[in-house]
Amino acid sequence: MAVMLAACGRHQATAVGAVALEITHQVDGQALQLHEAQYPTPQGERFSVDKLRYYLSNFRLHRRDGQWFVPAVDAQSSKGYYLVDAADPASLRFRIEAVPPGDYDGIEFLVGVDEARNHAGVQSGTLDPAQGLFWTWKSGYIFLQLEGHSPQSGADDHALTYHLGSVDAQDRARSVYLPLAPSVAKVSERIEPEIHLYVDLAELFRGTHEIRIAQLNTVMGSSAGKTLSDNLPGLFHVDHVHNEPRHRAHDS
């Protein structure tokens, strides 16, 4: 049975490290540009993106010796719940802190908000409804918000609108596990690894389910969201891992 490492108790004294993550958005290898560029889907349709925002949460790091590190969370704050916004460069890089030293060969996280926090009512920080990703009509979060346009969309102004979240008691959050092989993230007092992830929006249309915009241009909490949500894990890939010296500014 795998052993869990928690960022508390007897491990606190050795929890000296951190792991940084950096996210790059693309479409089939092309860098994502908001508002202007149009990109082909695997089915030959085209789309542009005006807005791309989503939650990542419940991170875990798998150590090469088989143990898992699970960051501590506080039910009174939004620490550990990251809001990624393609229009906000600052949101594309964040850190998992208080990581025990070791060699880590995998990372796991949730695309969305876990069931307990999703229905915990009004919260703060990245989970503040003021962030614009909270459905007041159903008291839950939008896990992923993609808005743009497509010539193949039959909606007004050829709009493309995908808002994914839990609905009808069905959880739309999706778990992602990414091996780091052949690299490892080496956490120590001197080394802070940086994991570079790329998120490929083309996979939203060709993952577990094939998506055609002409047939599905709008999802607003409907049951069709399950189809799109099933494709979410395929968007995420590890590009590379840097094992860099820790910055002194992080050591305070």
Side-chain angles (χ1 to χ4, degrees):
M1 180 179 294
V3 177
M4 294 291 183
L5 295 175
C8 59
R10 65 186 179 87
H11 296 293
Q12 188 64 42
T14 61
V16 297
V19 173
L21 287 97
E22 187 169 64
I23 295 175
T24 300
H25 295 107
Q26 63 180 29
V27 184
D28 256 346
Q30 299 181 60
L32 176 66
Q33 298 181 39
L34 298 177
H35 307 300
E36 297 180 4
Q38 278 204 349
Y39 302 94
T41 71
Q43 293 76 36
E45 299 175 313
R46 300 190 68 80
F47 72 103
S48 61
V49 178
D50 298 323
K51 185 179 293 186
L52 174 64
R53 306 171 76 208
Y54 53 89
Y55 281 108
L56 300 180
S57 65
N58 292 65
F59 277 84
R60 302 198 308 165
L61 295 170
H62 186 265
R63 211 160 73 175
R64 195 157 58 177
D65 63 6
Q67 299 183 30
W68 285 92
F69 167 67
V70 182
V73 294
D74 178 2
Q76 305 305 313
S77 78
S78 62
K79 184 177 181 179
Y81 293 81
Y82 304 93
L83 174 54
V84 179
D85 185 340
D88 178 11
S91 74
L92 306 182
R93 192 178 190 280
F94 51 88
R95 301 168 76 238
I96 301 172
E97 300 180 334
V99 181
D103 291 349
Y104 294 85
D105 60 7
I107 186 168
E108 185 178 70
F109 53 89
L110 201 64
V111 184
V113 178
D114 56 89
E115 194 69 11
R117 296 298 290 270
N118 188 39
H119 299 297
V122 174
Q123 299 173 66
S124 62
T126 56
L127 296 175
D128 191 321
Q131 299 287 354
L133 291 179
F134 189 79
W135 276 318
T136 55
W137 57 272
K138 63 182 296 293
S139 186
Y141 288 89
I142 299 172
F143 298 162
L144 178 139
Q145 176 189 53
L146 185 151
E147 297 178 3
H149 295 84
S150 169
Q152 285 74 40
S153 170
D156 291 346
D157 196 29
H158 299 292
L160 177 66
T161 307
Y162 293 155
H163 291 185
L164 307 183
S166 293
V167 65
D168 299 332
Q170 296 186 25
D171 190 5
R172 299 284 188 261
R174 292 294 182 268
S175 180
V176 179
Y177 176 76
L178 300 174
L180 304 183
S183 300
V184 294
K186 295 180 174 293
V187 178
S188 72
E189 293 185 13
R190 295 183 175 86
I191 300 296
E192 178 174 307
E194 185 172 87
I195 302 172
H196 289 249
L197 304 179
Y198 65 85
V199 177
D200 189 346
L201 292 183
E203 299 297 331
L204 189 63
F205 301 95
R206 68 174 173 217
T208 303
H209 308 285
E210 180 181 282
I211 302 298
R212 292 185 177 272
I213 296 172
Q215 299 170 352
L216 188 64
N217 56 60
T218 303
V219 174
M220 297 284 285
S222 66
S223 58
K226 179 184 183 304
T227 302
L228 281 168
S229 297
D230 287 345
N231 287 355
L232 291 179
L235 272 64
F236 296 84
H237 306 270
V238 173
D239 187 18
H240 60 278
V241 179
H242 286 306
N243 288 295
E244 301 286 355
R246 282 177 61 87
H247 298 299
R248 292 187 181 275
H250 292 162
D251 296 334
S252 57

